[in-house]
């Protein structure tokens, strides 16, 4: 199932489904280039979602990664057996279309 959600709806979704881990792999990103020498593989047990501003933070101990200016999120529950894919569409309010996307896997 693919569904587009607002940040508020994503917050409610996470409260209902309580993912125990969110994964960020640089190789899963649309903008990733195979020749990039640096690869990120990070796992986070905590997801924090704020509606004002539209901010999604992933936390693990003292480490964190934050995505701001999230315009909307697409949820895909069927693409991978690893979990639910969250695609974050980010960009400034003045832009006509989202400027960059990030893919996360929630399990």
């Amino acid at each position: 199932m693919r569904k587009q959600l607002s940040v508020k709806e994503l917050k409610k979704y996470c409260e209902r489904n309580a993912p125990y881990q969110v994964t960020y792999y640089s190789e899963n990103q649309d903008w990733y280039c195979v020749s990039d020498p640096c690869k990120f593989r990070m796992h986070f047990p905590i997801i924090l979602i704020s509606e004002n501003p539209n901010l999604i933070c992933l936390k693990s101990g003292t480490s964190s990664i934050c995505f701001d200016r999230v315009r909307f999120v697409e949820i895909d529950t069927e693409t991978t057996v690893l979990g639910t894919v969250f695609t974050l569409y980010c960009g400034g309010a003045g832009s006509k279309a989202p400027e960059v996307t990030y893919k996360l896997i929630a399990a």
Side-chain angles (χ1 to χ4, degrees), residues 1-19:
M1 169 191 88
R2 277 190 137 148
K3 188 175 183 180
Q4 185 174 312
L5 303 176
S6 67
V7 173
K8 182 178 185 174
E9 291 169 326
L10 176 66
K11 187 174 185 176
K12 289 179 184 177
Y13 176 89
C14 287
E15 287 170 356
R16 281 191 315 268
N17 295 290

Side-chain angles (χ1 to χ4, degrees), residues 8-70:
K8 182 178 185 174
E9 291 169 326
L10 176 66
K11 187 174 185 176
K12 289 179 184 177
Y13 176 89
C14 287
E15 287 170 356
R16 281 191 315 268
N17 295 290
Y20 65 89
Q21 177 176 279
V22 179
T23 302
Y24 174 89
Y25 286 159
S26 57
E27 297 100 321
N28 288 350
Q29 309 312 312
D30 292 337
W31 42 263
Y32 176 74
C33 182
V34 211
S35 63
D36 288 344
C38 184
K39 294 169 181 40
F40 296 99
R41 294 180 180 152
M42 300 180 287
H43 307 279
F44 301 92
I46 300 167
I47 182 169
L48 302 172
I49 302 171
S50 170
E51 297 170 52
N52 189 11
N54 286 350
L55 179 69
I56 296 173
C57 289
L58 307 176
K59 294 186 152 255
S60 176
T62 59
S63 301
S64 66
I65 185 171
C66 294
F67 305 92
D68 68 353
R69 295 178 287 150
V70 179

